[in-house]
Amino acid sequence: MLKKILKCYDYSLIIVMVLLSLFGLVMVYSASMVWAVQRYGLPSDFFYQKQKLFLIGAFIVFLIVVLFPYKAMKSNKILGFIVLMSLFGLGALFVFGHIAGNAQSWFKIGQLSLQPSEFTKIAVIIYLSAVYAKKQSYINEFNKGVVPPLVYLVLVCILVAIQPDFGTAVIIFLIAASIILSSGMNWKNILKLILIGILVVSPVALVMKDELFTKEQLERFEAVKNPFEDELDTGFHLTNSFLAIGSGGINGLGLGKSIQKLGYLPESHTDFIMAVIAEELGVWGVSFVILSLGYIVLRGIYIGLKCKDPFGSLLAIGISSMIGIQSFINLAGISGFIPLTGVPLPFISYGGSSLLQLSIAMGILVNVSMFVNYERKFKKNKEKKIVA
C-alpha cells in the first residue's frame, strides 16, 4: 500500500518547488547582503541565514501536510477551527500587532515576525472549497447555496484591508472569485454577485478611501503613469526597478553584481527581488522563475480538472490561482503595469510567513494529486480485474 502511495506523488511539482525555493535562497543572499549592512548594520548574510531556517521549517511542514489526507479538512470541526483561528489572528493584530511600512500586519516575537493574512489565504481556500463542495446539490439556490459562505470572505477582506493591506485583501478576493467561478455555480448567480459587489464596494471604497489607502499607497497610483516625473520621490521605487531590469539584458551582469541593490533599490530582497534577478542573471534568470511558477500553476489547474472530488478540485484550483495571482501582481508591479502593492514573489522573496504558507499550500496540492493518481492508476486496474 505504501509503495503504491509513494508511486502516486507528483514528484515534478516537488522538484520544481524545491528548485525555486533554493534559487530564491541564493537570490535573497545576493539581493540582501548590502541592504543588511547599510540599513541595519547587520552581517551581510543575516537575511540569508534567516531565510535558510525558514526554508528548513517550511520543508518540514510540507512533509507533514503532504502526508495528511486532504479530505479530512472537510470535517466541520477542522473547518470551524480554521475559520475561528483566521478571524482571531486578524482581529488580534489591532491589539498586539507590530506596525511596519504603515501597516499593522505582523505579530513580532523577538526577531521573528508572523503575518496572519498570509495564512488567511489558505484558510479561505480550504473553507470556500469545502463549503461549495458540500453545497453541490443546491449550488444555484442563491440565498442558501451562494451567499452564506461569502459572509466569512467579506469579514476577512475587511479585516485585512483596514490594517491597511489592500493588496493582500485584493488577492484574497481574487482567489475566492476563482473558486466561485469553478464551483459549478450558474452565470445568473455569478452576475448577481458581481452586481452586488459593485453596489456595495464602490461607495464603501469612496467613503473609506483615507482609511483603506495610506498617502504612500495613493501616490503609487500616480507613480505608475510616469515614474520619471518624480524619480526621487513618488517614482523612486519604479525608476530604480526599471533601471535594474533594463541593465540586465540577455545574460545579466553576473550573480552578485547588481548595482541597483547597492542602496538604490528599496526592499531588494522582498518586493523587488525579481528586478535584482533580471539585473544579475538577465533573461535566463527571469525565464527560469516565470516558467517554473507557470508550471506549478498550470499543473495545479490540470490536477483540479482531473480530480473527480469537488473538494479536491476546488482546492487545487484555489491554490494554483493564489500562486498565479500573487506572481502576476508582483511582476506587474515591478514592471509598472499596475501600482506597487508590496506583494512578495512566491518561493523567491524573503519572508518566513510566505514560505510557510506556500509549503502548506503545496503540501495540500501534492496530496490532492496523489489521490487523483492513485484513483487513476490502481482503482481502474482493480475494476478491470473484477470485470475480467
Side-chain angles (χ1 to χ4, degrees), residues 132-375:
Y132 283 124
K134 290 177 180 180
K135 292 177 180 288
Q136 285 298 299
S137 59
Y138 53 94
I139 190 73
N140 290 313
E141 294 181 29
F142 193 77
N143 294 331
K144 188 180 176 184
V146 177
V147 174
L150 300 183
V151 175
Y152 169 64
L153 173 65
V154 171
L155 190 54
V156 161
C157 287
I158 290 172
L159 287 172
V160 173
I162 60 178
Q163 291 176 7
D165 188 355
F166 194 70
T168 301
V170 169
I171 289 173
I172 291 172
F173 174 80
L174 292 175
I175 293 167
S178 71
I179 293 171
I180 291 167
L181 287 170
S182 307
S183 66
M185 195 182 299
N186 63 33
W187 279 102
K188 182 182 176 182
N189 284 329
I190 290 172
L191 291 173
K192 276 185 188 178
L193 287 176
I194 293 171
L195 183 60
I196 292 169
I198 292 170
L199 292 174
V200 172
V201 173
S202 299
V204 171
L206 288 171
V207 172
M208 297 183 65
K209 183 177 72 171
D210 295 333
E211 287 77 16
L212 292 174
F213 300 102
T214 63
K215 183 184 175 184
E216 184 185 15
Q217 286 172 324
L218 290 171
E219 286 174 347
R220 289 175 184 175
F221 285 89
E222 294 297 321
V224 170
K225 297 176 185 177
N226 185 7
F228 294 98
E229 190 176 336
D230 192 3
E231 60 188 51
L232 297 178
D233 190 11
T234 57
F236 185 75
H237 294 72
L238 265 183
T239 301
N240 285 285
S241 179
F242 289 166
L243 289 172
I245 294 169
S247 300
I250 301 294
N251 298 315
L253 303 178
L255 184 62
K257 295 181 180 179
S258 165
I259 295 169
Q260 295 307 119
K261 72 181 181 186
L262 305 177
Y264 302 105
L265 188 63
E267 308 301 333
S268 55
H269 59 305
T270 54
D271 306 349
F272 289 93
I273 196 165
M274 185 57 112
V276 176
I277 292 171
E279 188 178 8
E280 294 188 349
L281 303 177
V283 172
W284 303 113
V286 172
S287 297
F288 168 75
V289 174
I290 292 176
L291 290 174
S292 298
L293 288 169
Y295 177 81
I296 290 174
V297 172
L298 293 175
R299 185 69 182 169
I301 293 171
Y302 174 79
I303 291 165
L305 293 173
K306 288 292 181 182
C307 186
K308 294 177 182 178
D309 172 32
F311 179 47
S313 180
L314 292 175
L315 274 177
I317 290 169
I319 290 167
S320 304
S321 299
M322 177 186 72
I323 294 170
I325 290 164
Q326 194 161 311
S327 300
F328 171 79
I329 289 176
N330 176 275
L331 297 174
I334 68 164
S335 306
F337 288 104
I338 62 173
L340 293 166
T341 57
V343 171
L345 185 62
F347 305 104
I348 304 295
S349 293
Y350 171 82
S353 296
S354 178
L355 261 183
L356 189 57
Q357 175 261 123
L358 286 166
S359 70
I360 295 169
M362 289 300 293
I364 295 170
L365 182 60
V366 172
N367 190 263
V368 173
S369 73
M370 185 274 289
F371 274 92
V372 171
N373 290 334
Y374 184 83
E375 287 183 356

